[in-house]
Amino acid sequence: MKAALLVLFLSAPALAADLRPVTLADAVELALRTDPAMDAAYIDRDRTKWATLRTQLDRITLRVDGQLQELWNKVNIGGSTLGACSVGGFAFSAGPKTCASSGGMFTASADQSPSGGQGLFNLTAQLNVPLFSGFRVEATVKRAQKLEEAALVTIRRQRRDTALAAARSFWTVRRLELLLDVQRAQLLRLSDSEAVASGRVKAGLAPPIDRNRATVRRLQQAAQVLEYEGQIKETESQLGVALGLTGGFQLEGGYTFPPTIPATAEELVQTARHDRPEILVAQLRLDAARQSIRVTRANLYPQLAGVGLFQFGNNQFSIGTGARDVSSQANPFAGLSGSLTIGGSLNYNFFDMLTTYTTQRDAQYEAARLAADQRRVERVVDTDVVAAHAKVTRLFGKRVPLHDSLELARDNIKILEARYKSGDALIIELLDAQVELAAAEASLVDVESQLELAWIELRASMGEVPGRR
């Protein structure tokens, strides 16, 4: 049995050598490349860039349009008879009944349903320059710029959230691996105790129950080892899917937490308020909402704009009347001419059923809501830092007595092993001491793993991206 265990432990490193090593930095980098939330954040950034460009282009608007139409129509299909009526030397168009009632002479038209073609062509270049828009254009540009900055900071926040999630998954698996190492070491110690008990039983120095007790403890420990191995495979498969890893991999890396408790929570809170992207995003969105108030307030001011219009064609548009000329030519390129119109436009709204007022009030309420949301975000950040600091402090305090108890448990094992071999101690005392040693080792590993993750979470609560410098 002991030989089989040795083969198992010696073959484990050889199998691990064929696996891809993955550190915490590697896991974070893979998560940042494969997380769909990061792609969505980059898309939002690109959209806000184009939105900012669109608002900048509204300062001067130049539009060039071309229009070409060829139409054919036929009129008076199924209508009354058409013709000319002559009364006293005067001629006019009328129907036969109307002409008879007037005492005139009616002459029917040869084509009672005439048809014809109409060709229209126009090329237009229009320039609009808002000379004064009630600060609408300026506020719209500033609002778009604030939203673009918020999208850039949101990428920082999403990068931190993604990296923190990857770090938590990494240390969930890593903690199980470290606990598995403790259980494997305990299994080897129990195998040694079983071998010693078997030797003493064969020599007649101990009863057979000593060997049975040692075997029971070894089998129970073997089952515990298999349980940890199963948990590791389960969590590793989930981590592999999250990181996009298709082949086998082996997690690597030790503890990075400092030897002493970090600074006070108040100092860390001040750092977090400066570095956490959530607070900056909330502030930028509040600034954008305040610019929206200026946009809605622009309707209270007169609107002054310069207008320039150049046209070439036979279907020209009149800015003043809003109507177009109509060409009777069938050829769209016949009767072409050009025109240039330059002028200004001043508009002022005297009453719009309180639309501007209600829209402005709604924008003010939205800004007030975002101001309250900013205070909420600051409180959330403060809570994250204080809670993470308290957790790290608690685990630091718990680690000291566990470390001392582990040293005592190791010393007890040495004493009881020597006493049992000399026949001065019972096998049950040795086995209990080994269980105590395994429990002390597992407790210390568990606390240090929690402390490592708590330290990562504390740094992340201050705005740092885990696993990256």
Side-chain angles (χ1 to χ4, degrees), residues 13 36 98 117 119 127 138 141 154 156 161 169 182 248 320 336 343 350 366 383 400 412 456 461:
T98 303
L127 177 66
E138 294 82 358
V141 171
T154 300
R156 287 175 47 199
D161 294 343
S169 300
V182 171
L336 301 180
F350 292 95
E366 177 64 14
T383 303
V400 175
N412 291 339
I456 293 174
S461 69

Side-chain angles (χ1 to χ4, degrees), residues 69-353:
Q69 293 185 10
E70 185 65 40
L71 307 174
W72 180 86
N73 64 331
K74 188 174 183 65
V75 299
N76 198 41
I77 300 175
S80 60
T81 303
L82 300 177
C85 182
S86 177
V87 179
F90 296 97
F92 58 92
S93 299
K97 294 182 179 180
T98 303
C99 186
S101 62
S102 302
M105 181 178 293
F106 177 76
T107 303
S109 176
D111 189 358
Q112 296 298 317
S113 56
S115 62
Q118 184 182 37
L120 304 176
F121 172 77
N122 191 37
L123 181 64
T124 304
Q126 185 172 1
L127 177 66
N128 292 318
V129 181
L131 302 178
F132 180 73
S133 61
F135 309 105
R136 174 187 288 109
V137 175
E138 294 82 358
T140 302
V141 171
K142 288 183 179 179
R143 179 179 61 182
Q145 290 173 342
K146 294 296 182 181
L147 293 177
E148 181 182 354
E149 292 178 25
L152 292 173
V153 179
T154 300
I155 293 178
R156 287 175 47 199
R157 183 185 66 181
Q158 187 58 53
R159 184 180 292 117
R160 167 190 165 273
D161 294 343
T162 299
L164 181 57
R168 285 170 174 164
S169 300
F170 178 92
W171 272 102
T172 297
V173 180
R174 191 77 183 102
R175 168 180 166 273
L176 292 174
E177 290 180 346
L178 294 174
L179 289 174
L180 177 60
D181 292 340
V182 171
Q183 300 301 325
R184 283 175 172 170
Q186 171 66 0
L187 182 58
L188 282 178
R189 288 195 296 266
L190 289 174
S191 299
D192 292 338
S193 298
E194 182 184 10
V196 172
S198 297
R200 287 180 58 81
V201 169
K202 291 179 180 178
L205 300 176
I209 194 173
D210 283 5
R211 180 179 55 196
N212 294 342
R213 284 173 174 171
T215 302
V216 168
R217 291 292 179 90
R218 178 185 58 79
L219 293 176
Q220 291 175 345
Q221 188 62 31
Q224 187 65 33
V225 169
L226 294 175
E227 173 65 20
Y228 274 108
E229 290 177 348
Q231 292 182 17
I232 290 174
K233 288 182 180 180
E234 180 180 350
T235 53
E236 274 188 348
S237 61
Q238 297 174 358
L239 179 62
V241 172
L243 301 181
L245 294 173
T246 55
F249 59 93
Q250 176 68 37
L251 301 186
E252 295 182 353
Y255 304 126
T256 60
F257 56 82
T260 58
I261 299 177
T264 62
E266 290 74 14
E267 296 175 351
L268 300 181
V269 165
Q270 296 303 320
T271 303
R273 286 203 171 193
H274 182 268
D275 295 339
R276 279 286 288 268
E278 292 92 329
I279 296 178
L280 183 55
V281 169
Q283 179 62 50
L284 291 171
R285 288 177 177 172
L286 176 59
D287 294 340
R290 288 170 177 167
Q291 296 300 324
S292 297
I293 297 176
R294 296 183 61 195
V295 172
T296 58
R297 191 182 297 158
N299 291 329
L300 301 176
Y301 298 93
Q303 311 290 314
L304 178 63
V307 180
L309 176 64
F310 173 77
Q311 299 182 90
F312 182 77
N314 59 7
N315 184 31
Q316 297 183 5
F317 176 75
S318 173
I319 296 179
T321 63
R324 286 187 176 274
D325 295 338
V326 179
S327 173
S328 60
Q329 301 288 336
N331 184 0
F333 300 105
L336 301 180
S337 63
S339 68
L340 176 64
T341 304
I342 299 176
S345 174
L346 178 64
N347 297 319
Y348 185 76
N349 176 260
F350 292 95
F351 183 70
D352 59 357
M353 290 299 293

